[in-house]
Amino acid sequence: MSGQKQRSDRFTEALGEEIDTAFKKLASEILKEGALSVKDKALIALACSVAVKCEYCVERHKGAALKAGASKGEMLEAAAVAGLVRMGSGFNTASFLLDDSEE
Amino acid sequence: MSGQKQRSDRFTEALGEEIDTAFKKLASEILKEGALSVKDKALIALACSVAVKCEYCVERHKGAALKAGASKGEMLEAAAVAGLVRMGSGFNTASFLLDDSEE
Amino acid sequence: MSGQKQRSDRFTEALGEEIDTAFKKLASEILKEGALSVKDKALIALACSVAVKCEYCVERHKGAALKAGASKGEMLEAAAVAGLVRMGSGFNTASFLLDDSEE
Amino acid sequence: MSGQKQRSDRFTEALGEEIDTAFKKLASEILKEGALSVKDKALIALACSVAVKCEYCVERHKGAALKAGASKGEMLEAAAVAGLVRMGSGFNTASFLLDDSEE
Amino acid sequence: MSGQKQRSDRFTEALGEEIDTAFKKLASEILKEGALSVKDKALIALACSVAVKCEYCVERHKGAALKAGASKGEMLEAAAVAGLVRMGSGFNTASFLLDDSEE
Amino acid sequence: MSGQKQRSDRFTEALGEEIDTAFKKLASEILKEGALSVKDKALIALACSVAVKCEYCVERHKGAALKAGASKGEMLEAAAVAGLVRMGSGFNTASFLLDDSEE
């Protein structure tokens, strides 16, 4: 994908300079080194891409994670956690079956 | 919840008679006995309520499933499938990590 | 798709034998005959695939449903229920418009 | 809810001034009058709140829509469109059942 | 895409005339001119398509919006609002981190 | 919430010992120390809880993150990344507006 503009970048650029700049500012504030490192945040973004089922996001944040030094094993483990949370969140909803308000 | 109107019914009624009638017509066409029984459809609706994480829907379709003769075991198993699909769908997205287009 | 490995299988295999085995064990426990038949569960999984908007899952669970003896009509009806629950769950959220806490 | 801070505001404020400021800047750029009016955008935000099933968002954007002069009828109709898109998007996924690659 | 049937139309037609008719009736009731214009509703449907991450829906409602006279700027702004609501709804959930019940 | 069983635990226990054991085995395999630490995984799970908008999951994984030594700042930053990915994933879908197939 190198040499090719990301879909979301094309969209914010089409929205005009003001929104494009504001979006990039927010993204860089959120992803910059803070309590968590840039690499940690890239792995978290990768996992969240799986959690929301966005293939384009997986590709983007995989690129960022690799650039920040993440290994394949770290990326795979982060993605596995996302799958687990998807199931666990469903089971939380399913637990409402056990509430006996209607019986 | 008996004696209490469902949230989604309150909403479609507020939209006026034409939409309310059209929605109820569609819902009854989809949920009526066909290739699948009313009970099968109630269990499917229950599982889908878990899949989309809608607690109100769980309560509603649990009521319908009980009325159609579903057992607690059937309802729990249907809900478990929903959780599994939530995880599996995430793992499908995660598999894009394995595509080597960027390396 | 026969002769081709499913995306989610490729992912869990990449995670290593321990997670792959644990995932397959859980999946087989959830999908095996119990209070519901294998065919019922395949149809439920198909409907949930629609509910979470996962095209790969639709293909997989369609294959399982056909193998368990489901008809095209049964599969279509299960999927229709999923669409209805998606709308109904939205209408449940929409009903919060009718709460008058702010007026 | 007047006099009470919104949940999302409490969160961005907890993230510190830089992110809070960047988020508010982006939100105000996106929601300000442009090709669409402030009222149009509030109604769109309300519908999207239903689309993503966020009750807190419904309350917030209902408040903004009322302030921008939206009527109850306009708000209800916007929310109904969201429910329809939820169902239609499911039916798009369901259509993959009709692809005959496996038969 | 002109001259080509939409995916969701193919699905409802496969469900048989009763459901197909009931779905089209409901869709036309929801999308017809009311408190909001047909163009307003098309833009709202477009934004909701982004909110639920449905690419097929984006294409369909873009077509409807263009037909109803929407400009590219209006469509882009509607879609931007959808992205903002997706983030804001996440931040609402994130705010539960600030509740101190466990500390 | 100490002293109180988690919703998802109540659900898997109701499903019977086989599924409960298989689910706990998978969860412990995914969350145990590997290429990523237990603390890293707890923060990722927390972010994914925000990404899928599950309040119960936020509470659970906040508890696990605190136990693994995560600071409030780390948790807040992880959650912020989740919100960003929610918006970015929407913008990826929105970019389909820019494809000119229909004009």
Side-chain angles (χ1 to χ4, degrees), chain D residues 7-8 10-12 35-36 41 44 47 51 56-57 74 77 89 91-92 95-96 98-99, chain E residues 7-8 10-12 23 35-36 41 44 47 52 56-57 74 77 89 91-92 95-96 98-99:
Chain D
R7 284 201 156 269
S8 60
R10 285 176 55 214
F11 178 66
T12 55
L36 295 172
K41 290 183 173 184
I44 289 168
Y56 299 108
C57 309
E74 290 172 317
E77 291 188 6
S89 60
F91 283 176
N92 273 304
S95 72
F96 282 83
L98 305 173
D99 295 348
Chain E
R7 285 201 155 268
S8 59
R10 286 177 55 215
F11 177 68
T12 55
F23 177 68
L36 295 172
K41 289 182 173 185
I44 289 168
V52 300
Y56 300 108
C57 309
E74 290 172 316
E77 291 187 6
S89 60
F91 283 174
N92 272 304
S95 72
F96 282 83
L98 305 174
D99 295 347

mmCIF file of all heavy atoms in Angstrom, chain D residues 7-8 10-12 35-36 41 44 47 51 56-57 74 77 89 91-92 95-96 98-99, chain E residues 7-8 10-12 23 35-36 41 44 47 52 56-57 74 77 89 91-92 95-96 98-99:
data_model
loop_
_atom_site.group_PDB
_atom_site.id
_atom_site.type_symbol
_atom_site.label_atom_id
_atom_site.label_comp_id
_atom_site.label_asym_id
_atom_site.label_seq_id
_atom_site.Cartn_x
_atom_site.Cartn_y
_atom_site.Cartn_z
ATOM 1 N N ARG D 7 -21.355 12.884 29.464
ATOM 2 C CA ARG D 7 -20.353 11.851 29.697
ATOM 3 C C ARG D 7 -19.116 12.032 28.816
ATOM 4 O O ARG D 7 -17.991 11.970 29.286
ATOM 5 C CB ARG D 7 -20.955 10.464 29.415
ATOM 6 C CG ARG D 7 -21.886 9.984 30.510
ATOM 7 C CD ARG D 7 -22.034 8.470 30.466
ATOM 8 N NE ARG D 7 -22.422 7.988 31.778
ATOM 9 C CZ ARG D 7 -21.567 7.618 32.724
ATOM 10 N NH1 ARG D 7 -20.280 7.612 32.482
ATOM 11 N NH2 ARG D 7 -21.988 7.216 33.894
ATOM 12 N N SER D 8 -19.343 12.264 27.507
ATOM 13 C CA SER D 8 -18.192 12.346 26.608
ATOM 14 C C SER D 8 -17.338 13.578 26.928
ATOM 15 O O SER D 8 -16.118 13.556 26.755
ATOM 16 C CB SER D 8 -18.637 12.341 25.142
ATOM 17 O OG SER D 8 -19.485 13.436 24.888
ATOM 18 N N ARG D 10 -16.904 14.801 29.948
ATOM 19 C CA ARG D 10 -16.109 14.430 31.147
ATOM 20 C C ARG D 10 -14.888 13.614 30.727
ATOM 21 O O ARG D 10 -13.790 13.781 31.269
ATOM 22 C CB ARG D 10 -16.943 13.590 32.127
ATOM 23 C CG ARG D 10 -17.974 14.406 32.903
ATOM 24 C CD ARG D 10 -18.842 13.489 33.784
ATOM 25 N NE ARG D 10 -18.036 12.662 34.663
ATOM 26 C CZ ARG D 10 -18.344 11.411 35.034
ATOM 27 N NH1 ARG D 10 -19.462 10.853 34.583
ATOM 28 N NH2 ARG D 10 -17.555 10.728 35.826
ATOM 29 N N PHE D 11 -15.071 12.736 29.734
ATOM 30 C CA PHE D 11 -13.960 11.890 29.307
ATOM 31 C C PHE D 11 -12.861 12.706 28.621
ATOM 32 O O PHE D 11 -11.683 12.568 28.953
ATOM 33 C CB PHE D 11 -14.452 10.786 28.372
ATOM 34 C CG PHE D 11 -13.342 9.915 27.855
ATOM 35 C CD1 PHE D 11 -12.622 9.096 28.717
ATOM 36 C CD2 PHE D 11 -12.976 9.938 26.510
ATOM 37 C CE1 PHE D 11 -11.569 8.304 28.249
ATOM 38 C CE2 PHE D 11 -11.931 9.156 26.044
ATOM 39 C CZ PHE D 11 -11.226 8.336 26.911
ATOM 40 N N THR D 12 -13.229 13.554 27.676
ATOM 41 C CA THR D 12 -12.167 14.303 26.973
ATOM 42 C C THR D 12 -11.473 15.281 27.925
ATOM 43 O O THR D 12 -10.276 15.527 27.797
ATOM 44 C CB THR D 12 -12.706 15.036 25.720
ATOM 45 O OG1 THR D 12 -13.803 15.870 26.085
ATOM 46 C CG2 THR D 12 -13.162 14.034 24.659
ATOM 47 N N ALA D 35 -22.268 23.646 3.984
ATOM 48 C CA ALA D 35 -23.242 23.313 2.938
ATOM 49 C C ALA D 35 -24.562 22.932 3.591
ATOM 50 O O ALA D 35 -25.640 23.147 3.034
ATOM 51 C CB ALA D 35 -22.704 22.167 2.086
ATOM 52 N N LEU D 36 -24.487 22.363 4.792
ATOM 53 C CA LEU D 36 -25.690 22.018 5.572
ATOM 54 C C LEU D 36 -25.805 22.954 6.770
ATOM 55 O O LEU D 36 -24.797 23.426 7.305
ATOM 56 C CB LEU D 36 -25.586 20.573 6.079
ATOM 57 C CG LEU D 36 -25.577 19.474 5.015
ATOM 58 C CD1 LEU D 36 -25.261 18.119 5.655
ATOM 59 C CD2 LEU D 36 -26.917 19.395 4.284
ATOM 60 N N LYS D 41 -27.493 19.344 10.542
ATOM 61 C CA LYS D 41 -26.426 18.514 11.114
ATOM 62 C C LYS D 41 -26.835 17.906 12.448
ATOM 63 O O LYS D 41 -26.474 16.766 12.763
ATOM 64 C CB LYS D 41 -25.145 19.333 11.245
ATOM 65 C CG LYS D 41 -24.533 19.660 9.884
ATOM 66 C CD LYS D 41 -23.215 20.421 9.993
ATOM 67 C CE LYS D 41 -22.562 20.559 8.615
ATOM 68 N NZ LYS D 41 -21.231 21.216 8.699
ATOM 69 N N ILE D 44 -28.982 14.985 11.627
ATOM 70 C CA ILE D 44 -28.139 13.896 11.117
ATOM 71 C C ILE D 44 -27.412 13.217 12.284
ATOM 72 O O ILE D 44 -27.335 11.987 12.359
ATOM 73 C CB ILE D 44 -27.142 14.439 10.059
ATOM 74 C CG1 ILE D 44 -27.901 14.810 8.781
ATOM 75 C CG2 ILE D 44 -26.038 13.425 9.769
ATOM 76 C CD1 ILE D 44 -27.083 15.608 7.770
ATOM 77 N N ALA D 47 -29.827 10.989 14.090
ATOM 78 C CA ALA D 47 -30.066 9.739 13.368
ATOM 79 C C ALA D 47 -28.869 8.796 13.520
ATOM 80 O O ALA D 47 -29.034 7.592 13.740
ATOM 81 C CB ALA D 47 -30.332 10.029 11.893
ATOM 82 N N ALA D 51 -28.346 4.990 14.785
ATOM 83 C CA ALA D 51 -27.676 3.995 13.938
ATOM 84 C C ALA D 51 -26.611 3.226 14.716
ATOM 85 O O ALA D 51 -26.436 2.026 14.509
ATOM 86 C CB ALA D 51 -27.067 4.664 12.708
ATOM 87 N N TYR D 56 -26.947 7.792 25.136
ATOM 88 C CA TYR D 56 -26.430 9.080 25.611
ATOM 89 C C TYR D 56 -26.336 10.071 24.460
ATOM 90 O O TYR D 56 -26.592 11.256 24.619
ATOM 91 C CB TYR D 56 -25.048 8.912 26.243
ATOM 92 C CG TYR D 56 -25.052 7.999 27.426
ATOM 93 C CD1 TYR D 56 -24.482 6.734 27.367
ATOM 94 C CD2 TYR D 56 -25.649 8.399 28.623
ATOM 95 C CE1 TYR D 56 -24.498 5.885 28.457
ATOM 96 C CE2 TYR D 56 -25.672 7.548 29.721
ATOM 97 C CZ TYR D 56 -25.104 6.297 29.626
ATOM 98 O OH TYR D 56 -25.125 5.456 30.703
ATOM 99 N N CYS D 57 -25.906 9.567 23.281
ATOM 100 C CA CYS D 57 -25.796 10.432 22.106
ATOM 101 C C CYS D 57 -27.169 10.931 21.682
ATOM 102 O O CYS D 57 -27.313 12.084 21.253
ATOM 103 C CB CYS D 57 -25.171 9.673 20.930
ATOM 104 S SG CYS D 57 -23.630 8.822 21.319
ATOM 105 N N GLU D 74 -39.647 16.172 13.000
ATOM 106 C CA GLU D 74 -38.388 16.052 12.254
ATOM 107 C C GLU D 74 -37.437 15.074 12.937
ATOM 108 O O GLU D 74 -36.773 14.272 12.283
ATOM 109 C CB GLU D 74 -37.725 17.428 12.123
ATOM 110 C CG GLU D 74 -38.482 18.366 11.176
ATOM 111 C CD GLU D 74 -37.944 19.785 11.193
ATOM 112 O OE1 GLU D 74 -37.650 20.319 12.297
ATOM 113 O OE2 GLU D 74 -37.806 20.389 10.112
ATOM 114 N N GLU D 77 -38.679 11.462 12.424
ATOM 115 C CA GLU D 77 -38.458 10.974 11.053
ATOM 116 C C GLU D 77 -36.980 10.674 10.799
ATOM 117 O O GLU D 77 -36.637 9.697 10.128
ATOM 118 C CB GLU D 77 -38.983 11.994 10.031
ATOM 119 C CG GLU D 77 -40.517 12.089 10.036
ATOM 120 C CD GLU D 77 -41.071 12.946 8.909
ATOM 121 O OE1 GLU D 77 -40.277 13.388 8.035
ATOM 122 O OE2 GLU D 77 -42.289 13.181 8.888
ATOM 123 N N SER D 89 -28.815 -2.436 5.737
ATOM 124 C CA SER D 89 -27.403 -2.840 5.747
ATOM 125 C C SER D 89 -27.282 -4.330 6.070
ATOM 126 O O SER D 89 -26.424 -5.025 5.517
ATOM 127 C CB SER D 89 -26.610 -1.985 6.741
ATOM 128 O OG SER D 89 -27.121 -2.125 8.051
ATOM 129 N N PHE D 91 -29.580 -6.524 5.242
ATOM 130 C CA PHE D 91 -30.046 -7.217 4.038
ATOM 131 C C PHE D 91 -28.954 -7.228 2.956
ATOM 132 O O PHE D 91 -28.879 -8.166 2.162
ATOM 133 C CB PHE D 91 -31.326 -6.570 3.513
ATOM 134 C CG PHE D 91 -32.558 -6.937 4.304
ATOM 135 C CD1 PHE D 91 -33.802 -6.364 4.018
ATOM 136 C CD2 PHE D 91 -32.517 -7.867 5.341
ATOM 137 C CE1 PHE D 91 -34.941 -6.713 4.738
ATOM 138 C CE2 PHE D 91 -33.645 -8.216 6.077
ATOM 139 C CZ PHE D 91 -34.867 -7.625 5.762
ATOM 140 N N ASN D 92 -28.128 -6.201 2.927
ATOM 141 C CA ASN D 92 -26.999 -6.234 1.989
ATOM 142 C C ASN D 92 -26.068 -7.405 2.310
ATOM 143 O O ASN D 92 -25.635 -8.123 1.415
ATOM 144 C CB ASN D 92 -26.218 -4.907 2.042
ATOM 145 C CG ASN D 92 -26.789 -3.857 1.112
ATOM 146 O OD1 ASN D 92 -26.926 -4.087 -0.087
ATOM 147 N ND2 ASN D 92 -27.148 -2.708 1.656
ATOM 148 N N SER D 95 -27.543 -10.762 1.407
ATOM 149 C CA SER D 95 -27.591 -11.086 -0.025
ATOM 150 C C SER D 95 -26.438 -11.995 -0.442
ATOM 151 O O SER D 95 -26.494 -12.624 -1.500
ATOM 152 C CB SER D 95 -27.570 -9.805 -0.855
ATOM 153 O OG SER D 95 -26.279 -9.221 -0.808
ATOM 154 N N PHE D 96 -25.415 -12.084 0.393
ATOM 155 C CA PHE D 96 -24.300 -12.987 0.060
ATOM 156 C C PHE D 96 -24.747 -14.454 0.114
ATOM 157 O O PHE D 96 -24.072 -15.315 -0.429
ATOM 158 C CB PHE D 96 -23.089 -12.728 0.961
ATOM 159 C CG PHE D 96 -22.333 -11.509 0.527
ATOM 160 C CD1 PHE D 96 -22.740 -10.244 0.922
ATOM 161 C CD2 PHE D 96 -21.247 -11.615 -0.327
ATOM 162 C CE1 PHE D 96 -22.079 -9.107 0.494
ATOM 163 C CE2 PHE D 96 -20.572 -10.486 -0.765
ATOM 164 C CZ PHE D 96 -20.994 -9.228 -0.355
ATOM 165 N N LEU D 98 -27.086 -15.434 -1.550
ATOM 166 C CA LEU D 98 -27.565 -15.693 -2.912
ATOM 167 C C LEU D 98 -26.428 -15.954 -3.884
ATOM 168 O O LEU D 98 -26.655 -16.365 -5.018
ATOM 169 C CB LEU D 98 -28.415 -14.525 -3.407
ATOM 170 C CG LEU D 98 -29.595 -14.160 -2.507
ATOM 171 C CD1 LEU D 98 -30.268 -12.895 -3.002
ATOM 172 C CD2 LEU D 98 -30.595 -15.305 -2.462
ATOM 173 N N ASP D 99 -25.209 -15.685 -3.432
ATOM 174 C CA ASP D 99 -24.059 -15.947 -4.301
ATOM 175 C C ASP D 99 -23.805 -17.447 -4.298
ATOM 176 O O ASP D 99 -23.740 -18.065 -3.236
ATOM 177 C CB ASP D 99 -22.822 -15.186 -3.806
ATOM 178 C CG ASP D 99 -23.031 -13.684 -3.926
ATOM 179 O OD1 ASP D 99 -24.007 -13.269 -4.578
ATOM 180 O OD2 ASP D 99 -22.234 -12.924 -3.357
ATOM 181 N N ARG E 7 -28.026 -5.104 -4.006
ATOM 182 C CA ARG E 7 -27.939 -6.340 -3.219
ATOM 183 C C ARG E 7 -29.170 -6.548 -2.331
ATOM 184 O O ARG E 7 -29.744 -7.622 -2.291
ATOM 185 C CB ARG E 7 -26.697 -6.331 -2.328
ATOM 186 C CG ARG E 7 -25.404 -6.570 -3.098
ATOM 187 C CD ARG E 7 -24.296 -7.061 -2.177
ATOM 188 N NE ARG E 7 -23.334 -7.830 -2.966
ATOM 189 C CZ ARG E 7 -23.389 -9.133 -3.143
ATOM 190 N NH1 ARG E 7 -24.319 -9.853 -2.523
ATOM 191 N NH2 ARG E 7 -22.512 -9.748 -3.895
ATOM 192 N N SER E 8 -29.555 -5.498 -1.587
ATOM 193 C CA SER E 8 -30.662 -5.684 -0.643
ATOM 194 C C SER E 8 -31.973 -5.958 -1.388
ATOM 195 O O SER E 8 -32.833 -6.684 -0.881
ATOM 196 C CB SER E 8 -30.791 -4.474 0.286
ATOM 197 O OG SER E 8 -31.010 -3.305 -0.454
ATOM 198 N N ARG E 10 -32.179 -7.659 -4.203
ATOM 199 C CA ARG E 10 -32.114 -9.073 -4.592
ATOM 200 C C ARG E 10 -32.522 -9.961 -3.414
ATOM 201 O O ARG E 10 -33.206 -10.966 -3.589
ATOM 202 C CB ARG E 10 -30.688 -9.454 -5.031
ATOM 203 C CG ARG E 10 -30.297 -8.907 -6.401
ATOM 204 C CD ARG E 10 -28.843 -9.252 -6.731
ATOM 205 N NE ARG E 10 -28.585 -10.681 -6.643
ATOM 206 C CZ ARG E 10 -27.443 -11.242 -6.221
ATOM 207 N NH1 ARG E 10 -26.423 -10.466 -5.844
ATOM 208 N NH2 ARG E 10 -27.300 -12.544 -6.173
ATOM 209 N N PHE E 11 -32.095 -9.555 -2.211
ATOM 210 C CA PHE E 11 -32.411 -10.383 -1.042
ATOM 211 C C PHE E 11 -33.909 -10.374 -0.731
ATOM 212 O O PHE E 11 -34.515 -11.429 -0.533
ATOM 213 C CB PHE E 11 -31.608 -9.923 0.182
ATOM 214 C CG PHE E 11 -31.936 -10.696 1.426
ATOM 215 C CD1 PHE E 11 -31.599 -12.037 1.524
ATOM 216 C CD2 PHE E 11 -32.606 -10.104 2.483
ATOM 217 C CE1 PHE E 11 -31.921 -12.776 2.672
ATOM 218 C CE2 PHE E 11 -32.932 -10.831 3.622
ATOM 219 C CZ PHE E 11 -32.587 -12.164 3.716
ATOM 220 N N THR E 12 -34.510 -9.203 -0.671
ATOM 221 C CA THR E 12 -35.937 -9.177 -0.312
ATOM 222 C C THR E 12 -36.783 -9.835 -1.406
ATOM 223 O O THR E 12 -37.797 -10.463 -1.109
ATOM 224 C CB THR E 12 -36.445 -7.744 -0.010
ATOM 225 O OG1 THR E 12 -36.157 -6.896 -1.125
ATOM 226 C CG2 THR E 12 -35.775 -7.180 1.230
ATOM 227 N N PHE E 23 -41.567 -4.873 2.851
ATOM 228 C CA PHE E 23 -40.337 -4.103 3.070
ATOM 229 C C PHE E 23 -40.354 -2.821 2.235
ATOM 230 O O PHE E 23 -40.013 -1.739 2.732
ATOM 231 C CB PHE E 23 -39.109 -4.943 2.702
ATOM 232 C CG PHE E 23 -37.815 -4.185 2.825
ATOM 233 C CD1 PHE E 23 -37.344 -3.794 4.066
ATOM 234 C CD2 PHE E 23 -37.083 -3.832 1.694
ATOM 235 C CE1 PHE E 23 -36.162 -3.072 4.190
ATOM 236 C CE2 PHE E 23 -35.903 -3.108 1.812
ATOM 237 C CZ PHE E 23 -35.438 -2.727 3.064
ATOM 238 N N ALA E 35 -42.241 15.638 7.548
ATOM 239 C CA ALA E 35 -41.679 16.805 8.223
ATOM 240 C C ALA E 35 -40.321 17.142 7.588
ATOM 241 O O ALA E 35 -39.913 18.299 7.545
ATOM 242 C CB ALA E 35 -41.527 16.522 9.711
ATOM 243 N N LEU E 36 -39.641 16.117 7.108
ATOM 244 C CA LEU E 36 -38.359 16.307 6.405
ATOM 245 C C LEU E 36 -38.557 16.022 4.915
ATOM 246 O O LEU E 36 -39.393 15.202 4.532
ATOM 247 C CB LEU E 36 -37.311 15.335 6.960
ATOM 248 C CG LEU E 36 -36.896 15.551 8.417
ATOM 249 C CD1 LEU E 36 -36.002 14.393 8.881
ATOM 250 C CD2 LEU E 36 -36.140 16.876 8.585
ATOM 251 N N LYS E 41 -33.849 13.361 3.905
ATOM 252 C CA LYS E 41 -33.842 11.957 4.329
ATOM 253 C C LYS E 41 -32.756 11.159 3.616
ATOM 254 O O LYS E 41 -32.148 10.256 4.204
ATOM 255 C CB LYS E 41 -35.221 11.338 4.104
ATOM 256 C CG LYS E 41 -36.261 11.881 5.091
ATOM 257 C CD LYS E 41 -37.633 11.244 4.902
ATOM 258 C CE LYS E 41 -38.579 11.702 6.020
ATOM 259 N NZ LYS E 41 -39.900 11.019 5.941
ATOM 260 N N ILE E 44 -29.609 11.937 5.385
ATOM 261 C CA ILE E 44 -29.582 11.247 6.679
ATOM 262 C C ILE E 44 -29.275 9.757 6.475
ATOM 263 O O ILE E 44 -28.471 9.168 7.208
ATOM 264 C CB ILE E 44 -30.936 11.446 7.417
ATOM 265 C CG1 ILE E 44 -31.048 12.893 7.887
ATOM 266 C CG2 ILE E 44 -31.080 10.474 8.588
ATOM 267 C CD1 ILE E 44 -32.435 13.296 8.378
ATOM 268 N N ALA E 47 -25.600 9.364 5.815
ATOM 269 C CA ALA E 47 -24.810 9.469 7.048
ATOM 270 C C ALA E 47 -24.939 8.193 7.879
ATOM 271 O O ALA E 47 -23.940 7.681 8.404
ATOM 272 C CB ALA E 47 -25.262 10.685 7.855
ATOM 273 N N VAL E 52 -23.048 2.933 10.276
ATOM 274 C CA VAL E 52 -23.055 1.467 10.444
ATOM 275 C C VAL E 52 -22.008 0.789 9.562
ATOM 276 O O VAL E 52 -21.947 -0.429 9.493
ATOM 277 C CB VAL E 52 -24.447 0.835 10.164
ATOM 278 C CG1 VAL E 52 -25.483 1.410 11.120
ATOM 279 C CG2 VAL E 52 -24.884 0.998 8.717
ATOM 280 N N TYR E 56 -22.114 -0.711 0.660
ATOM 281 C CA TYR E 56 -23.194 -0.834 -0.333
ATOM 282 C C TYR E 56 -24.268 0.218 -0.090
ATOM 283 O O TYR E 56 -24.828 0.785 -1.024
ATOM 284 C CB TYR E 56 -23.826 -2.227 -0.280
ATOM 285 C CG TYR E 56 -22.857 -3.320 -0.570
ATOM 286 C CD1 TYR E 56 -22.403 -4.165 0.429
ATOM 287 C CD2 TYR E 56 -22.359 -3.498 -1.868
ATOM 288 C CE1 TYR E 56 -21.494 -5.174 0.160
ATOM 289 C CE2 TYR E 56 -21.446 -4.510 -2.141
ATOM 290 C CZ TYR E 56 -21.016 -5.342 -1.119
ATOM 291 O OH TYR E 56 -20.115 -6.325 -1.381
ATOM 292 N N CYS E 57 -24.551 0.453 1.204
ATOM 293 C CA CYS E 57 -25.566 1.458 1.548
ATOM 294 C C CYS E 57 -25.103 2.851 1.142
ATOM 295 O O CYS E 57 -25.907 3.678 0.710
ATOM 296 C CB CYS E 57 -25.827 1.449 3.053
ATOM 297 S SG CYS E 57 -26.177 -0.165 3.777
ATOM 298 N N GLU E 74 -22.756 18.747 0.472
ATOM 299 C CA GLU E 74 -23.746 18.314 1.468
ATOM 300 C C GLU E 74 -23.529 16.848 1.853
ATOM 301 O O GLU E 74 -23.642 16.486 3.030
ATOM 302 C CB GLU E 74 -25.166 18.508 0.909
ATOM 303 C CG GLU E 74 -25.567 19.976 0.789
ATOM 304 C CD GLU E 74 -26.900 20.170 0.057
ATOM 305 O OE1 GLU E 74 -27.116 19.508 -0.994
ATOM 306 O OE2 GLU E 74 -27.706 20.997 0.526
ATOM 307 N N GLU E 77 -20.416 16.538 4.114
ATOM 308 C CA GLU E 77 -20.645 17.045 5.473
ATOM 309 C C GLU E 77 -21.519 16.087 6.282
ATOM 310 O O GLU E 77 -21.293 15.888 7.487
ATOM 311 C CB GLU E 77 -21.283 18.440 5.423
ATOM 312 C CG GLU E 77 -20.303 19.500 4.902
ATOM 313 C CD GLU E 77 -20.851 20.920 5.009
ATOM 314 O OE1 GLU E 77 -21.936 21.112 5.587
ATOM 315 O OE2 GLU E 77 -20.176 21.839 4.516
ATOM 316 N N SER E 89 -19.734 8.460 20.516
ATOM 317 C CA SER E 89 -20.412 7.342 21.187
ATOM 318 C C SER E 89 -19.395 6.467 21.909
ATOM 319 O O SER E 89 -19.661 5.950 22.999
ATOM 320 C CB SER E 89 -21.224 6.523 20.173
ATOM 321 O OG SER E 89 -20.398 6.000 19.159
ATOM 322 N N PHE E 91 -16.609 7.633 23.180
ATOM 323 C CA PHE E 91 -16.182 8.415 24.349
ATOM 324 C C PHE E 91 -17.230 8.341 25.463
ATOM 325 O O PHE E 91 -16.888 8.400 26.653
ATOM 326 C CB PHE E 91 -15.908 9.866 23.955
ATOM 327 C CG PHE E 91 -14.595 10.053 23.234
ATOM 328 C CD1 PHE E 91 -14.246 11.294 22.690
ATOM 329 C CD2 PHE E 91 -13.685 9.008 23.092
ATOM 330 C CE1 PHE E 91 -13.029 11.485 22.036
ATOM 331 C CE2 PHE E 91 -12.468 9.190 22.432
ATOM 332 C CZ PHE E 91 -12.142 10.431 21.918
ATOM 333 N N ASN E 92 -18.501 8.243 25.095
ATOM 334 C CA ASN E 92 -19.520 8.052 26.127
ATOM 335 C C ASN E 92 -19.267 6.753 26.894
ATOM 336 O O ASN E 92 -19.339 6.728 28.122
ATOM 337 C CB ASN E 92 -20.928 8.007 25.494
ATOM 338 C CG ASN E 92 -21.529 9.398 25.360
ATOM 339 O OD1 ASN E 92 -21.648 10.121 26.339
ATOM 340 N ND2 ASN E 92 -21.875 9.784 24.146
ATOM 341 N N SER E 95 -16.283 6.947 29.198
ATOM 342 C CA SER E 95 -16.461 7.735 30.422
ATOM 343 C C SER E 95 -16.759 6.845 31.630
ATOM 344 O O SER E 95 -16.612 7.291 32.770
ATOM 345 C CB SER E 95 -17.586 8.746 30.237
ATOM 346 O OG SER E 95 -18.842 8.079 30.227
ATOM 347 N N PHE E 96 -17.150 5.602 31.391
ATOM 348 C CA PHE E 96 -17.387 4.702 32.525
ATOM 349 C C PHE E 96 -16.090 4.381 33.266
ATOM 350 O O PHE E 96 -16.126 3.909 34.396
ATOM 351 C CB PHE E 96 -18.113 3.426 32.069
ATOM 352 C CG PHE E 96 -19.579 3.668 31.850
ATOM 353 C CD1 PHE E 96 -20.030 4.208 30.655
ATOM 354 C CD2 PHE E 96 -20.498 3.413 32.855
ATOM 355 C CE1 PHE E 96 -21.383 4.480 30.462
ATOM 356 C CE2 PHE E 96 -21.844 3.672 32.672
ATOM 357 C CZ PHE E 96 -22.292 4.215 31.470
ATOM 358 N N LEU E 98 -14.339 6.596 34.377
ATOM 359 C CA LEU E 98 -14.240 7.646 35.394
ATOM 360 C C LEU E 98 -15.127 7.379 36.595
ATOM 361 O O LEU E 98 -15.041 8.077 37.597
ATOM 362 C CB LEU E 98 -14.601 8.997 34.774
ATOM 363 C CG LEU E 98 -13.785 9.371 33.534
ATOM 364 C CD1 LEU E 98 -14.322 10.644 32.912
ATOM 365 C CD2 LEU E 98 -12.314 9.553 33.910
ATOM 366 N N ASP E 99 -16.010 6.396 36.480
ATOM 367 C CA ASP E 99 -16.870 6.059 37.610
ATOM 368 C C ASP E 99 -16.040 5.288 38.629
ATOM 369 O O ASP E 99 -15.329 4.347 38.280
ATOM 370 C CB ASP E 99 -18.065 5.221 37.152
ATOM 371 C CG ASP E 99 -18.967 6.039 36.217
ATOM 372 O OD1 ASP E 99 -18.787 7.265 36.145
ATOM 373 O OD2 ASP E 99 -19.822 5.441 35.559
#
